[in-house]
Amino acid sequence: MKLSPLLLLFSLTIVCSCNVPGSNTSAPVNKYDEDVLHSVIVRADSAKDFAFLKPLAEKTIAALQQPTPVLLCQDTLTDQQKLAQLIALSDATFTQSVRSKTGEAYRCEIFGVYPARLSDMAGLQRDYQLVDCFRVEMYNYALNSATIAIADIKQQKVLSSNVQLQTQPDIPKYLKTLAVQIAASSAAVQQALGAKPDEAAALMASTKTALNRTRCERSGHLCVAPTFVKDEKALWAIVDLTEYRLAGIRWTSTGSASPITERKLQDDKITACFCDLETNLKKDGWALDYMLTSSDGLRIAAVSFNGREVLQSAKLVDWHVSYSGTDGFGYSDAVGCPYFSQAAVVAFEPPVIAALKVNNTAVGFVLEQTFKSELWPNPCNYNYVQRYEFYKDGRFRVAAASLGRGCGNDGTYRPVFRIAFAGIQNQMAAWNGTGWSNWAKEQWQQDMPASAHTPEGYAYKINDNNGAGYYMEPARGQFRDGGRGDNAYVYATATHAGKDEGEADLVTIGPCCNTDYHQGPEKYIEPAPDDLAGRQLVLWYVAQLKNDNAKAREYCWAESVLENGVYTTRSYPCFCGPLFTPVK
């Protein structure tokens, strides 16, 4: 039997050493395997440089012949995680997309098995014990889709299973190592750097990326970008993990940098107190629960003001970071917990609750979380702040900022907020210059400086059938936080019963480098928008923030400066996010 052309394209990976009971990952290699190996190695670069891929290809070909052609998790798993993996793979819904309609095996792989968090269980009936539940993430290379299951090892069943199209889970550790190995072994990288780089020096190796006009973009391939810093530049080695080859290299300018003192993360405390548990907060008439998620930042839920329900939840799903509008490459970042998370930038300290003051008068409170790379502000290290502002008069703001520095001085940051309103009788309207125009169906719109808004600055209105609700005021530089305006894409979608569309933790939902509305939320609208009126409404808000390192114009930037004989960090944050004001 010969592999089809489709399988030849997706024919290289590695089989997990932590095998699912009953699986056979040591099947004999058939006579056609050498043709497959040759095509993969030649496509990658050369047999000499990439000979280390051969044993991986042999294991993959054997796995593709199994009744359930799914590559098991390569990272080390506990016995409980192995059992959760087996339960997921025994579930017909979880595995319904591992073969084509004609029965050919797609290349699929379990990328991770993680202890479930409360944020994973949104929408599920509470007939489970959280300690018995695990989140199983599977990637389909052929369809560029992720399937997420919640497996209960005590009840021996899958509690939920959802497919997310055009979505990639966080990669396992072995793929990060392999990507660095491919990058360091590539002739183009060695020539650009003048020598073979130290694999241990690679930064951001597990963060998903893209390179426009390559297969990373056109075919939805899984790509990452191990990055090597040399002098005042960063070399991005963009590795295609679908075809196991170097897709391209790009240089960015990082500016001068000086070493900083390494600070140890408070991982244990943060995880135990804020990742494993929800915290209830009551203050200034507001009541809410908050917790750190695996990859959706700081999530708030069950938000009410003076006893009236306001939000089902709100969170920060992604940070899309694009460098160079011409070449179109960058990172799809996630922020989240330090443990059991592949978030690129993790929580650096516990959440902070502080007074919200205007002219030294307390008008409410702030709930804020910092996510930071440990070596920030060195090149290719990031620092993000997520902020919720709650006012005593019922207003609230969902905000975030990049504090720099990143992997270049020409980046555009696009944070993706998801804001789910409470109740099932919501309506969405936009100001058209003379009045409010209701959105009958799911849609998106870009808010620009020239867009219509009321004298108060409102651009949108979300209200129920009784007229109660909120006006939304996009950031246009008016919030006295240094923000220069969001130029945001605004999306309104309706929830569907029995279908998770982002209430539980999401993997990265959009590409890093699209410059239009294709940032991820549109997948819940296209190709056939649903009716909005009288539905539970989810608002998505994607700001666009252009960084700048020009003197006196710094924005989304950070640098080390010499002051009084020592290096200190100077940050120039770019805040974004809308303000919501109650409809009177």
Side-chain angles (χ1 to χ4, degrees), residues 164-178:
Q164 299 176 11
L165 301 177
Q166 300 301 305
T167 300
Q168 302 165 340
D170 298 314
I171 69 171
K173 292 180 181 178
Y174 94 91
L175 279 183
K176 172 184 175 181
T177 301
L178 185 62

Side-chain angles (χ1 to χ4, degrees), residues 81-94:
Q81 289 171 309
K82 293 178 185 178
L83 178 57
Q85 181 177 228
L86 172 61
I87 292 170
L89 290 173
S90 301
D91 184 78
T93 302
F94 182 73

